[in-house]
Amino acid sequence: MLFNTFSFFLVFLPLALLGYFVLSRYSLRLSIIFLLLASVAFYCYWDITFLPLLALSICTNFAVGRSISLHHGQGRLRQAKLWLIGGLVFNLSLLVFFKYFDFLLSNIAALTGAPIEPIGITLPIGISFFTFTQIAYLVDCHAGKVKDYQPESYGLFVTYFPHLIAGPILHHKEMMPQFSEPARHVPHRGRLVVGLSFFTIGLFKKVVLADGVARFVGPVFDLHHQHLSMLEAWAGALAYTFQLYFDFSAYSDMAYGLSYMFGIVLPINFNSPYKAASIIDFWRRWHITLSNFLRDYLYIPLGGNRKSAFLRYRNLLLTMLLGGLWHGANWTFLLWGMLHGIYLIVNHALRHVLGGRSNWALRLGGACATFLAVVVAWVFFRATSVGVALDVLHAMWGGTLTPAMRETVLGMNRIMELGSCLWWLGACAAIAFFLPNAYELLGRGLRLEQESRLEGRRGNLLLGALLLLCLFLLSISETRGVSEFLYFNF
């Protein structure tokens, strides 16, 4: 089920809210179980085929986590470590098989010349997110950071529908305590207003901005990548840059708002990354929970920055390579991760050389260089193969049209309406660079005690409600069938 469908926000969401709050009057545990079942139904609506896999993953990790915590609490650290290794092997084996096995077979066949054909494994939706969430849980069990939780709370922690499909990657200490707080189970008008506001802003970003600019991407990357003018190549690359930005920003806003309606605050996962003044700043703003996961469970265990500069840079490169591979089984993702690893190394080296000096010129130059570097890397991220990415980059450098084609198509809208595309790019850039994001507009995770004051500002609320209603109606009018979020593929 998609957030941007009528069946979701006219049927599923009202029933889920009603059942959750009505049942909470009788039993908090019963309302948790109901929300767990609703989240499973949300997942199965898309494809029930992988429900057994999801159930196996949840049950196995919960049992393994219990065993790790038990042995750790009794001082049997060796046994706890063995259980942790077993849990990691289980999770990574599932991930490797479903996400990377066909990729490995294809590369083995290419290297050896053996007649090996991919077996056509279907990628279970959300497997990267619920696997990484549970790996972090097991590692924290081994570190003694996990309290004893009810199985339904753990099940809801993994399957919670606002995050299950495309994140954010959740941490148990941020989520599970919220499930058992009585105040979270009481319906509150302020929460519903704020949550619906986040959802509406996200819906507008998805169906109007992301889907609107998306039509300029396919002609460049999928159809005409071998013969592009310089303007066409840059238009396609920038169109994808903003499509991905608003698509992921939309999902993050909608997930945050939906969860807030239930009284549960998700971690912020997206914070205007194109306003970043450096690539380090970019990764503090883009997919924040993935960045935190890679830092806490990969970069720091590798040694982080505690040793020599060489090892620090090596750890950065390895972390970003694996971060790229997390997104998909393709050399393009590895090269995207490698580029960002190199960017981070250069950024840290420049910081060391500059010694912390900063002024407006350096910040402006850093912001422009960062955005340009991100656009170049997105070409690999979007391309279906390394060859396609190199074709587009070659065209961005100077165009790849033959002289005869150049004379024929000069000044014509050959593969897209360039005038319309430039208007879309200008509008998207103005919103991304100059307007506040949803968290700045509505407050960063408004706390329950602040919501009563929010309700008191009736004049501002009325104006805001009218503007949001206009956005909502515009978004509904622009909904053209089912349009998946791009991060569903990862």
Side-chain angles (χ1 to χ4, degrees), residues 151-228:
E152 64 271 12
S153 293
Y154 180 79
L156 180 58
F157 159 65
V158 178
T159 63
Y160 188 43
F161 77 88
H163 96 99
L164 176 60
I165 307 301
I169 298 172
L170 299 182
H171 198 280
H172 68 91
K173 70 179 180 182
E174 296 173 326
M175 298 303 298
M176 283 198 268
Q178 294 190 66
F179 298 152
S180 57
E181 292 180 17
R184 307 279 179 180
H185 294 256
V186 178
H188 196 289
R189 185 170 61 183
R191 282 202 302 255
L192 292 173
V193 169
V194 173
L196 185 59
S197 300
F198 271 103
F199 182 85
T200 301
I201 291 172
L203 183 64
F204 175 80
K205 289 178 180 177
K206 170 58 180 170
V207 303
V208 177
L209 298 177
D211 291 351
V213 78
R215 65 178 180 271
F216 305 109
V217 177
V220 171
F221 284 90
D222 299 330
L223 298 176
H224 303 282
H225 55 86
Q226 291 182 321
H227 301 291
L228 295 169

Side-chain angles (χ1 to χ4, degrees), residues 99 232 249 299 353 378 396:
K99 195 164 186 176
E232 289 168 343
S249 177
Y299 176 69
V353 171
W378 284 144
M396 290 168 67

Side-chain angles (χ1 to χ4, degrees), residues 260-416:
Y260 206 78
M261 293 182 200
F262 289 89
I264 299 167
V265 180
L266 290 179
I268 294 175
N269 202 32
F270 197 91
N271 186 21
S272 300
Y274 289 171
K275 295 179 182 178
S278 68
I279 206 70
I280 295 173
D281 189 25
F282 173 83
W283 279 105
R284 290 173 179 158
R285 294 166 173 263
W286 178 277
H287 210 330
I288 299 168
T289 57
L290 176 62
S291 300
N292 292 342
F293 180 94
L294 293 173
R295 179 198 64 203
D296 295 340
Y297 298 99
L298 187 57
Y299 176 69
I300 292 175
L302 282 172
N305 58 359
R306 297 191 298 272
K307 298 181 182 179
S308 66
F310 172 78
L311 291 178
R312 178 190 193 182
Y313 296 151
R314 181 207 66 180
N315 296 338
L316 282 170
L317 186 59
L318 287 174
T319 299
M320 294 312 299
L321 279 171
L322 290 172
L325 189 61
W326 176 87
H327 284 85
N330 196 316
W331 288 105
T332 56
F333 292 116
L334 276 170
L335 288 171
W336 173 81
M338 182 188 73
L339 279 175
H340 273 279
I342 294 171
Y343 295 162
L344 286 169
I345 290 170
V346 172
N347 197 170
H348 281 283
L350 284 174
R351 281 193 171 188
H352 178 73
V353 171
L354 293 173
R357 293 192 298 274
S358 179
N359 54 50
W360 70 268
L362 284 175
R363 290 193 296 272
L364 179 60
C368 294
T370 298
F371 182 71
L372 180 62
V374 168
V375 172
V376 170
W378 284 144
V379 172
F380 285 97
F381 197 84
R382 171 58 175 84
T384 53
S385 69
V386 175
V388 171
L390 294 177
D391 285 342
V392 176
L393 288 172
H394 186 195
M396 290 168 67
W397 183 256
T400 54
L401 293 175
T402 64
M405 294 178 67
R406 192 176 297 114
E407 290 179 5
T408 303
V409 305
L410 188 62
M412 296 175 60
N413 293 322
R414 186 173 65 97
I415 65 173
M416 66 173 76

